[in-house]
Each structure stands twice: as structure tokens, then as C-alpha cells.
């Protein structure tokens, strides 16, 4: 676990919470009252704040954690609970009777531990675990439409397509850092004035893998680039100075950190 994680108090203003996400790149921030765990705020929670409700504090944004761990919890049990809950983190408290926050564990923390202990499968190819049914967006989609697509499908990022080729990646953090964060369901009924397209915010060229890339290598890539999902491609044309980035490729699948953890449990 990461001990003594960055937190916000229940009365921290929403704009301050947003700045912590933007400046530090966190996916999740625990909310505390004193040292007691009260809730969790995710990137998705921040993006669901409307311009008419942005004066609220952390208490009005936070949600109950889906999984709570204790320091002595077995790591395999924790992996199973995290994956079953469909989350990517677990705050760690002294005990279930004492909600004093002592740390946080993320999927990346677990993956790093398994990888460098030699516990992850070495030779199995991504073709065996990748998701072939991929939710994507187009380069000229509007940001608030893309956010709704992420939210509806429960994903943190989408591959960006142009002329049937993968062009880049856009994530929730990209949207938060862009400043276009007051995007909520009000926007479904009308177009936002001055709306921004995906190509203005996306990251390009994307980091990619091929179907024969091993699970072990994919785990290394996800951790090295601090990304949650890795596009799997065919016919990549790589950037010369960055051989893991493709300026053009055919998208055939996607692999997440969670997919790799499932392969470990299996």
C-alpha cells in the first residue's frame, strides 16, 4: 500500500479538489474527517459536477468506497474483491472497527508488486486476454459526448479513431487537465457553447502493443507509461524515436490493468 495518502477533508471546496486532481494526476482521493475515512472521490465524480453545482464541498461529491482493506488482508483476496467490485483502488484502514485511514492500494500497486516478484505469467500473449469489443470515439467527437460514452460504458479512456485507424487516446484525466471539466448530463439536451473536439485534447501518438506481446511485457508498459488501458493493434507504423508509439495502426483489441490481474488470478 501507499501509506499516508494525499487526502481532502469533507469541507474542502470542489475547486480545490479539482486542482489536486489536475496537478497531481491522482485517479482517486480519499475524503477524511480528522483521520477517519468518510468517502472517496474519483475523476469521474469530478467530471459529473455541473457549473450550477460547483460551489459544493467534498462531502457533496464523495461516494462510499466499493472495497475497504485492512493492513493484514491477504493480497489475493484483495485482488478478487477489487476486480469483483469493478474498481481500481481500496483505501486501507486500521480495522473495520477503526476507520482511521492508514493507506491506499491501487491496481497499479498490486500489478507492480506481482510483476517484480515474478508472479505474473511471462509467455502468454495478449491475444488470449484482450477485449475485442472496443468502445471508441472519433477525432471530431465533442468532449461532452465522449465523457458520456466513458461514463455509460464504465471506462476511464477511449481510443480515438480517424479513417478507421487509431490516432490517439483520450482519458478522463486529459479532460480534467484541459479545463473542460464542467460536463454533466445537462449537456445531453443541448450543445455547449464553444464545445471542444477530441482532437484538441487527446494524446497522440498512442502507446500500443501487438497481439503477440506477452502479458508480462504489457504489464511493464502499463506501469512505465502510467496508463490504465493498452490498445492492441496490427500493422503499426511506429514513431522512429519512440518504438512503442504508433502514428498509425489497425485497432483489434484493448487490454487493461484489470485484465492482467484476472489472468494472474486464473
Amino acid at each position: 500500500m501507499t501509506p499516508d495518502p494525499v487526502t481532502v477533508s469533507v469541507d474542502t471546496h470542489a475547486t480545490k479538489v479539482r486542482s489536486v486532481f489536475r496537478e497531481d494526476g491522482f485517479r482517486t482521493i480519499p475524503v477524511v474527517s480528522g483521520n477517519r475515512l468518510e468517502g472517496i472521490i474519483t475523476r469521474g465524480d469530478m467530471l459529473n459536477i455541473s457549473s450550477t453545482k460547483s460551489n459544493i464541498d467534498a462531502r457533496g461529491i464523495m461516494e462510499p468506497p466499493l472495497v475497504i482493506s485492512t493492513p493484514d488482508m491477504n493480497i489475493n483476496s484483495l485482488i478478487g474483491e477489487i476486480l469483483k467490485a469493478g474498481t481500481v483502488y481500496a483505501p486501507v484502514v486500521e480495522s473495520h472497527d477503526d476507520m482511521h485511514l492508514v493507506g491506499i492500494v491501487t491496481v497499479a500497486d498490486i500489478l507492480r508488486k506481482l510483476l517484480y516478484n515474478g508472479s505474473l505469467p511471462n509467455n502468454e500473449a495478449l491475444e488470449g486476454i484482450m477485449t475485442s469489443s472496443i468502445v471508441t470515439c472519433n477525432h471530431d467527437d465533442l468532449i461532452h459526448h465522449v465523457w458520456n460514452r466513458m461514463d455509460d460504458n464504465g471506462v476511464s479512456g477511449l481510443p480515438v479513431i480517424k479513417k478507421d485507424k487509431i490516432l490517439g487516446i483520450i482519458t478522463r484525466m486529459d479532460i480534467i487537465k484541459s479545463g473542460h471539466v464542467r460536463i454533466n448530463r445537462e449537456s445531453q439536451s443541448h450543445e455547449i457553447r464553444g464545445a471542444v473536439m477530441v482532437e484538441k485534447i487527446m494524446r497522440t501518438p498512442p502507446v500500443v502493443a501487438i497481439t503477440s506481446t506477452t502479458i508480462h511485457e504489457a504489464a511493464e508498459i502499463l506501469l512505465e507509461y502510467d496508463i490504465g488501458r493498452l490498445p492492441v493493434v496490427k500493422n503499426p507504423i511506429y514513431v522512429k524515436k519512440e518504438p512503442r508509439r504508433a502514428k498509425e495502426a489497425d485497432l483489434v483489441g484493448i487490454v487493461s490493468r484489470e485484465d492482467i490481474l484476472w489472468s494472474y488470478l486464473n
Side-chain angles (χ1 to χ4, degrees):
M1 72 180 187
T2 299
D4 302 318
V6 172
T7 63
V8 295
S9 66
V10 289
D11 56 1
T12 301
H13 194 274
T15 54
K16 174 60 177 177
V17 178
R18 181 182 295 141
S19 70
V20 174
F21 273 105
R22 186 180 296 164
E23 292 167 11
D24 297 315
F26 296 124
R27 288 176 167 82
T28 304
I29 301 176
V31 183
V32 296
S33 177
N35 290 318
R36 177 184 169 81
L37 176 68
E38 298 291 346
I40 285 286
I41 299 176
T42 67
R43 294 174 180 176
D45 296 328
M46 291 308 304
L47 286 171
N48 274 326
I49 300 174
S50 71
S51 58
T52 58
K53 296 181 179 179
S54 60
N55 291 324
I56 60 177
D57 56 24
R59 186 184 290 102
I61 308 169
M62 68 183 190
E63 297 178 345
L66 296 174
V67 177
I68 297 177
S69 180
T70 56
D72 58 353
M73 188 173 184
N74 175 273
I75 192 68
N76 281 357
S77 298
L78 180 58
I79 293 172
E81 288 199 21
I82 285 176
L83 293 175
K84 189 184 300 181
T87 187
V88 294
Y89 64 87
V92 184
V93 297
E94 287 282 6
S95 71
H96 289 293
D97 296 322
D98 180 357
M99 296 297 286
H100 175 86
L101 182 71
V102 296
I104 192 166
V105 175
T106 68
V107 168
D109 296 328
I110 297 170
L111 197 58
R112 187 175 291 107
K113 186 70 174 179
L114 295 176
L115 178 66
Y116 296 117
N117 278 357
S119 300
L120 283 173
N122 285 312
N123 299 319
E124 185 180 348
L126 292 185
E127 192 168 23
I129 67 167
M130 71 181 189
T131 300
S132 299
S133 178
I134 317 160
V135 182
T136 65
C137 64
N138 294 319
H139 69 103
D140 55 357
D141 283 343
L142 298 179
I143 290 299
H144 64 278
H145 291 162
V146 169
W147 160 244
N148 288 338
R149 194 171 305 164
M150 290 182 192
D151 198 28
D152 291 342
N153 289 278
V155 295
S156 60
L158 297 176
V160 183
I161 304 298
K162 183 177 183 179
K163 296 181 179 178
D164 298 323
K165 302 286 185 179
I166 182 171
L167 179 67
I169 292 285
I170 185 165
T171 67
R172 289 175 175 172
M173 181 50 71
D174 296 328
I175 298 174
I176 291 174
K177 286 186 174 180
S178 74
H180 301 278
V181 295
R182 293 181 178 179
I183 301 165
N184 74 339
R185 300 193 183 282
E186 295 170 6
S187 64
Q188 292 181 348
S189 61
H190 62 82
E191 296 299 303
I192 296 177
R193 184 175 298 172
V196 176
M197 290 190 293
V198 168
E199 62 186 357
K200 298 294 184 182
I201 296 175
M202 70 180 187
R203 283 177 284 170
T204 186
V207 176
V208 301
I210 57 176
T211 54
S212 60
T213 299
T214 66
I215 292 175
H216 191 274
E217 185 182 357
E220 291 180 323
I221 295 170
L222 288 166
L223 292 173
E224 178 184 349
Y225 289 90
D226 189 25
I227 53 179
R229 308 174 86 228
L230 182 63
V232 183
V233 303
K234 289 184 177 180
N235 307 314
I237 300 176
Y238 291 108
V239 177
K240 287 184 179 180
K241 294 184 178 180
E242 295 187 78
R244 284 180 174 164
R245 296 186 183 272
K247 53 188 176 181
E248 183 178 296
D250 299 315
L251 182 65
V252 296
I254 200 156
V255 170
S256 67
R257 292 171 175 174
E258 294 80 1
D259 294 328
I260 291 177
L261 284 185
W262 274 120
S263 74
Y264 168 77
L265 283 187
N266 292 334

